[in-house]
Structures are given as C-alpha cells and as structure tokens.
Amino acid sequence: MTEPNDAPSTDLAADSAELTRPVDENAITEPIPVEEAQPGTQSEDEPVEFEGPRRRARRERAERRAAQERATAIEEARREAKRRASGRIDGTNAPKKPARGVVRGLKMLLATMMLVVVGVGLALILYFTPVMSARNIVVTGTGAVTREEVLDAAQVRVGTPLLQINTNQVADRVAAIRRVASARVQRQYPSALRITIIERVPVVVKDFPDGPHLFDRDGVDFATGPPPPALPYIDVASPGPTDPTTKAALQVLLALRPEVAGQVGRIAAPSLASITLTLGDGRVVIWGTTDRTDEKAEKLAALLTQPGKTYDVSSPDLPTVK
C-alpha cells in the first residue's frame, strides 16, 4: 500500500527533471495561452508572455529594413564624398550653367579682341614695311606752279610707307608756296599719294619799285610779275590781307556784276568812306562806304547804261549821273 505522501514527491521530481531538460533553440514554440484575469482577481505570479513566430518575423523584418537603410545612407555618403573630391558636385551646390546671353556676349568680346589684334598686326605690317608705300606721287591742279615745286615742298620720298606720311603736314608745306591758296593730300592705296592744289587767282595789281605785285581776293600778295590783261589796279596805302582799306576795296570789286567788273581799271580806297572806281574809258564811280554793297552794285549796273562821266551810288536810294 502506497503511502499518500509518496505521490507528491514523485510529481515534484518529474517537474524538476522537466525544468532541467535542455531547450532546443530551433524548435518553434507556441505562445502559452494566458487566461484573462478578472478584475480584482489577477495573481501576482502572472505568467510571462513569450515571443511568438509572427512577432519575431516582424522584428526581424524591421531590423533588416533598418540595416538596409543604414547601408544605403553609408553608400550615399561615400558617393557624395567621392563626387566632392573629383569636383563634380550635384544638386544645389553644383555651379549653374551660364546664361545664353552671357555666352553670346563672351563670344562677341572674344571675336572683337581677335579683330583688334589682327587689325593692329596688319597696321604694324603696313606701317613698318613697304607693302603699301608711295611708289607714285600724283600732283593735280598745277598751272603757274610746277610739279617740281610741289614735290620739293611736299618732301615725300618715293617708297615711304603710306601710313608713315602725315598728310596734314605735307599739305601745310605745299600750301606755303606763295601761289598756292590751298592744298589737299590723300593716300590712294595701295601705292599712290595724291596732292591736289588750288592756285591763287590775281584780282588786283599794285605797282612797287621792284615791279607789279599781284593780289588775290583775300589781299594776299602772292606773285611779282606782269599782270594779266585788264586786271584792275588797287590804290591803297598798305595793301595786304589785314589792311581794312584793302578788304573794303576788294569787297566792292567782288560784289560787281561780271560785265561791270570787267570795265574797272582802278579802284581807290584812301579811306573806308571814300571808295571810288575808275572805268577803263575814264568814267568815275563814287561808291562811298561798303554799306549796302549789293544794292549799290545793282544800281550801278543800271546807271552805266546812261550817258555820263560821274556815277554816284553812295546813296543807293538816290543814285545820280553827271
């Protein structure tokens, strides 16, 4: 007969053996169901809930995602560092491409600079080399002045590069000839220099101890020698381009109509208020001052159609014939 106290001892031994048995880690364990405790009846020795397969799978998936995100972040950081090291920075830090207008402006500036360089180089070549030189000097407008006189005054050596010739200085030297009123010098590429002169035209003549002196319309004494036929004589104290009486006499003479001016043999201006004309046939014209010169010239042309010896146009409102 078994003692009542022996069964409990056997059960305790079996439970102890069960607890000390090794647990297989690969074994899938089912969660131990736990009965819900009613309020107020929960025991302090409530069983602990174990991790089930689903919860473990979710946890593992979350861990894998976190690890993958960390690996991706590390790889992106590595690539960014590599791009920075090679100078290729993407994103907002990358340099922006220049605008189209800026590129066009830079191209135009570069083209302009190239043209300037080419132009300067070409100018230097033409200036220092005989590529374009004055091989031929053309002189036009000569009459009383000879070509040799113009060339001697110009002082331009044949073969001189055209760019080395100062045309203004050459023109000034040519214009210094007494008979030359003005001179113009032009480069004619590739190898010619043209000098154009305008000679002075005698308007009046005055006798001096060394012979007759010719004066142009500006009162310049430009030549000494026999005057052209029918050239009127000027009778003033000191003829010259700055003399007031000379200017007044020439002003009157140039205002006359051609048919009247051709009849004048002498013009006298002892003062600015007493200008007189003597025609070739001996008739005298009292002109007076230079006021209203054009009116006086018209009235004189009409008066000369009338017979008389003295024609007074000093007062153009009341011209008279005597």
Side-chain angles (χ1 to χ4, degrees):
M1 185 174 180
T2 306
E3 293 294 331
N5 294 333
D6 292 336
S9 299
T10 303
D11 295 334
L12 291 172
D15 294 336
S16 300
E18 185 69 20
L19 294 172
T20 57
R21 183 183 304 170
V23 180
D24 187 4
E25 295 179 357
N26 297 325
I28 300 174
T29 60
E30 294 292 335
I32 300 176
V34 179
E35 296 181 357
E36 294 183 358
Q38 297 296 329
T41 62
Q42 184 177 358
S43 172
E44 295 180 359
D45 298 329
E46 186 177 58
V48 179
E49 181 177 329
F50 290 92
E51 183 180 34
R54 294 181 180 177
R55 182 174 295 178
R56 177 184 299 174
R58 287 195 298 270
R59 178 177 58 79
E60 290 177 351
R61 285 197 297 271
E63 291 177 353
R64 285 196 297 272
R65 283 196 298 270
Q68 186 175 3
E69 291 176 356
R70 287 194 298 272
T72 302
I74 293 172
E75 180 64 18
E76 289 294 332
R78 185 184 66 80
R79 291 179 180 177
E80 182 68 17
K82 186 176 180 181
R83 284 194 295 268
R84 290 180 180 275
S86 61
R88 296 182 291 106
I89 302 176
D90 298 330
T92 57
N93 294 331
K96 296 182 179 179
K97 293 182 178 180
R100 184 176 299 176
V102 175
V103 174
R104 187 181 296 112
L106 292 175
K107 289 182 178 179
M108 292 181 63
L109 178 61
L110 181 60
T112 303
M113 293 178 62
M114 291 180 64
L115 290 176
V116 170
V117 171
V118 172
V120 171
L122 182 60
L124 292 175
I125 292 174
L126 297 178
Y127 189 86
F128 290 104
T129 64
V131 175
M132 290 186 179
S133 58
R135 299 184 182 92
N136 184 25
I137 301 177
V138 180
V139 180
T140 60
T142 56
V145 180
T146 64
R147 170 184 169 85
E148 287 70 22
E149 289 181 284
V150 174
L151 294 179
D152 290 343
Q155 301 177 9
V156 176
R157 183 171 52 86
V158 176
T160 303
L162 291 176
L163 291 180
Q164 293 186 16
I165 299 174
N166 190 319
T167 56
N168 292 331
Q169 292 181 0
V170 175
D172 291 340
R173 289 195 292 266
V174 174
I177 300 174
R178 287 183 64 188
R179 285 185 173 269
V180 174
S182 63
R184 183 182 182 187
V185 180
Q186 296 172 291
R187 303 183 187 93
Q188 290 186 334
Y189 297 99
S191 60
L193 186 71
R194 176 178 290 273
I195 303 176
T196 304
I197 67 170
I198 298 177
E199 294 185 355
R200 298 186 185 275
V201 178
V203 176
V204 293
V205 61
K206 182 176 175 62
D207 288 329
F208 284 87
D210 60 344
H213 286 217
L214 304 179
F215 295 83
D216 67 356
R217 60 185 300 138
D218 297 321
V220 176
D221 181 0
F222 66 90
T224 302
L231 191 67
Y233 280 78
I234 185 170
D235 187 5
V236 295
S238 301
T242 60
D243 178 55
T245 57
T246 302
K247 292 181 178 180
L250 293 175
Q251 180 182 351
V252 171
L253 190 62
L254 296 174
L256 297 177
R257 291 186 179 182
E259 64 272 14
V260 176
Q263 301 179 43
V264 177
R266 180 181 297 272
I267 181 169
S271 67
L272 295 177
S274 58
I275 302 173
T276 58
L277 306 174
T278 303
L279 304 184
D281 56 6
R283 291 180 294 178
V284 178
V285 177
I286 301 174
W287 194 272
T289 66
T290 55
D291 296 337
R292 304 169 65 180
T293 297
D294 293 336
E295 292 184 47
K296 293 179 181 179
E298 293 180 3
K299 296 295 177 65
L300 179 60
L303 287 178
L304 290 178
T305 60
Q306 302 177 18
K309 292 185 178 181
T310 303
Y311 300 84
D312 190 348
V313 292
S314 59
S315 178
D317 295 330
L318 189 61
T320 59
V321 178
K322 296 180 181 179

